[in-house]
Amino acid sequence: MNETQADKALEREDILSMSRKELEEQILLSGEKPFRAGQIYGWLHVRHAESFDDMTNLPKALRKSLGERFRIPVLREVRVLTSQIDGTMKFLFALEDGNVIESVLMRYSYGLSACISSQVGCSMGCRFCASAIGGRVRDLCAGEMIAQVVQMERAAGERIGHVVIMGSGEPLDNYENLVRFLRIMGDPKGECLSLRDITVSTCGIVPNIRALAGEGLPVTLALSLHAPSQEKREKLMPIAKKYPLPQVLDAMKEYYDRTGRRITFEYSCVDGENTSPGDAQMLAELVRGMNCHINLIPVNPVEERSWRRPNRAKIEAFRGMLEKRGISVTIRREMGRDINGACGQLRRGFMTDPERT
Ligand code: SAH
């Protein structure tokens, strides 16, 4: 495809982002029989066809007209790294407009779990995060989020049972597309993933935490907490100035009250910043009485930043101090240690590589 052809292709509407109902409406409007919509939807969301030509039980003329009106977002694999230790795969995908994103596929005892991106880059500016360095380029549409899951599933040759939206980007800063993605993923006539097996991770955009609580979508919500006080949190996460800790925690409580889903707090352990005995005490007080789980993540050093992780003994001691106070807490198992750049670093390395193709 040359550049003009590629631009033309992007003018067509992304069919993967459409709900079943929207697709039915479009098909009816174009004068086709209603059952065609079901067939097309099945090709897209059950059989994961990559082109309209693959939809062999549709008349040729319909396949052609679909191809003229719509496009199916397909991601190009730019780089794939596979861990020799545990089989974790990191994918660098090129979108149709040439932007690149990162996705990760991990194998746990309960099956495959996909970590996907929700934006190209991110505008939240968390101090330890590689995705923040170049800022936000654009939001991903629902189809591009679905395509990450579908393409990793194809690469693995196996069904993905869990999806976490913890790649690059802030999902609640791309709210409409996120909710659209969740509804399509949960549709029993399509992707049919249990919403309970999806985790959305946020830095704490209060109005959208509250909005998500009212969507009737039983996904797990994880808050990137990372500090036990407003003062310390602001130092690591600029967004904390806009949405202070008490407001964020209130919104998380509302999320739990309305969905009944236990809350997760992510806590990246940064040496000298947030893992002292005093921090453990403050953290325990902060979450007291909440039905929650704390996930400790040893910070991944990012080349451009000076943060370091505490040694293993310090992190274990911190966990112990929380456990002693009756808090459910785990240290996140590190997957793919041999290919493990920090979140967003595969993309970052690619963007700054003069030899990139
Ligand atoms: N915007 C969402 C998703 C981001 S990535 C959010 O803020 O939750 C998922 C998690 O990885 C977040 O908790 C994020 O703060 C954390 N993270 C980002 N960079 C990291 C790093 N270098 N080391 C450890 N955790 C990191």
Side-chain angles (χ1 to χ4, degrees), residues 122 124 126 128-130 165-167 169-171 201-203 222-224 226 237 266 268 297-302 332 342-343:
C122 185
M124 297 297 128
C126 297
F128 45 80
C129 179
I165 304 156
M166 289 190 185
E170 167 50 45
S201 176
T202 179
C203 61
L223 175 77
S224 296
H226 303 326
M237 306 173 72
E266 288 156 279
S268 294
I297 315 168
V299 78
N300 273 308
V302 171
R332 182 185 289 173
C343 321

Side-chain angles (χ1 to χ4, degrees), residues 10-24:
L10 283 174
E11 282 168 14
R12 287 174 287 145
E13 201 177 343
D14 160 20
I15 196 168
L16 215 51
S17 291
M18 286 183 187
S19 68
R20 188 149 43 91
K21 198 153 172 278
E22 286 165 343
L23 185 63
E24 276 163 14

